[in-house]
Amino acid sequence: MTDSMRIQAGALTKRYGQHAAVSSLDLSVEAGSILGLVGPNGAGKTTTLRCLAGIIPPTSGRIIIDGFDLSAQPLEAKRRLSFVPDTPHLFDYLTVEEHLRFAGRIYGIPDVAERSDALLSEFELDDRRNHLPGTLSRGMKQKVAICLGFLHRPTAIFLDEPLTGLDPLGIRRMKSAISRRAREDGASIIVSSHQLELIEEICDGILVIKKGVEVISGSLESIRSQLDGLPEDPTLEDIFFAVTGDEGDARTATP
Ligand code: ATP
């Protein structure tokens, strides 16, 4: 395991009873890089992210966040990471701004007001700062959750379906915001999504899993070169169906 890697997992395994949701998964993401985690429903993507973020304990395996072992040094590791789930969880009786101040206190951020203002402006939530979650749209709640996730400037970021509920402009801005955290702040990011165009557009590397195990990984270019029988100039969608063997299902599912 090397220093430039902000996220590293070795032989990560998570069992629920007899069922192995994730089996012996190895992954690493270097500073400034974005890894796309894709796979069919039930492949183990959310379980992987929840283990990497320290929300659930793995059954076995090692997780290192920015040089800190998640099980041996959980506080140091968790201080440096952020997990934004696919469903935003907000407090009913805190306004948008109060959420950010609260998170700022938890992480001991001295310039929380300045950082909050910058994030609210970046995500076009300025005029919602005094609103309660109940008065926000689904997409706005998603943006608030992402703001909370970025506030402490984590070096390891885990995003589960980050575009859910966003309008086209929100999607464009979210893609830029995610890329900026990697390119400008040097964060290592894992994005899990079924939106393969998103993964193709913003990720440097791709990890495809199915039934909890790696099917293929690498840059899109290297994956293309590893596979035979793909159409000319294959998209990630072509690769996904080729390696997960779900093409027939997908065709019949297409209206
Ligand atoms: P999706 O694309 O549908 O969100 P996913 O790739 O994120 O799926 P997971 O939610 O990680 O998949 O689930 C992986 C496997 O683990 C599935 O078989 C699921 O039923 C199982 N699983 C997930 N959470 C639990 C749990 N708390 N208890 C038992 N089994 C679980």
Side-chain angles (χ1 to χ4, degrees), residues 14-17 19-22 37-50 56 86 160-161 192-194 209 211-212:
K14 178 66 183 180
R15 294 184 166 279
Y16 292 109
H19 177 66
V22 179
L37 179 62
V38 300
N41 288 136
K45 303 179 296 296
T46 299
T47 302
T48 299
L49 294 186
R50 286 164 66 86
I56 53 172
D86 55 351
D160 201 356
E161 290 290 0
S192 173
S193 180
H194 292 298
I209 63 172
K211 294 184 179 166

Side-chain angles (χ1 to χ4, degrees), residues 99-246:
H99 272 91
L100 288 159
R101 296 293 156 91
F102 180 57
R105 273 205 297 280
I106 290 174
Y107 284 101
I109 300 168
D111 57 342
V112 65
E114 289 76 12
R115 289 196 201 184
S116 299
D117 286 350
L119 282 166
L120 291 176
S121 169
E122 182 178 5
F123 287 91
E124 298 190 304
L125 289 168
D126 289 293
D127 60 341
R128 305 287 161 159
R129 62 174 65 230
N130 297 318
H131 284 229
L132 293 170
T135 69
L136 301 177
S137 71
R138 170 73 177 75
M140 289 172 192
K141 287 182 203 164
Q142 179 71 6
K143 289 184 194 175
V144 174
I146 297 268
C147 287
L148 290 166
F150 288 173
L151 186 70
H152 63 291
R153 298 189 180 146
T155 45
I157 302 175
F158 305 105
L159 302 172
D160 201 356
E161 290 290 0
L163 303 186
T164 307
L166 298 183
D167 64 20
L169 180 60
I171 288 174
R172 183 182 288 182
R173 287 182 187 275
M174 187 65 77
K175 286 178 187 169
S176 310
I178 295 169
S179 294
R180 198 173 304 128
R181 264 63 198 180
R183 316 292 173 235
E184 293 175 17
D185 301 347
S188 291
I189 303 177
I190 301 182
V191 180
S192 173
S193 180
H194 292 298
Q195 302 198 29
L196 300 181
E197 333 75 59
L198 162 73
I199 300 294
E200 196 165 347
E201 191 178 328
I202 69 168
C203 294
D204 308 286
I206 292 148
L207 170 59
V208 184
I209 63 172
K210 184 175 181 180
K211 294 184 179 166
V213 298
E214 175 179 328
V215 179
I216 202 161
S217 66
S219 67
L220 202 54
E221 272 320 301
S222 79
I223 290 178
R224 280 180 181 135
S225 67
Q226 289 173 53
L227 297 171
D228 294 325
L230 290 172
E232 201 175 324
D233 202 11
T235 62
L236 179 56
E237 188 181 76
D238 295 322
I239 290 168
F240 181 90
F241 291 140
V243 299
T244 60
D246 286 346

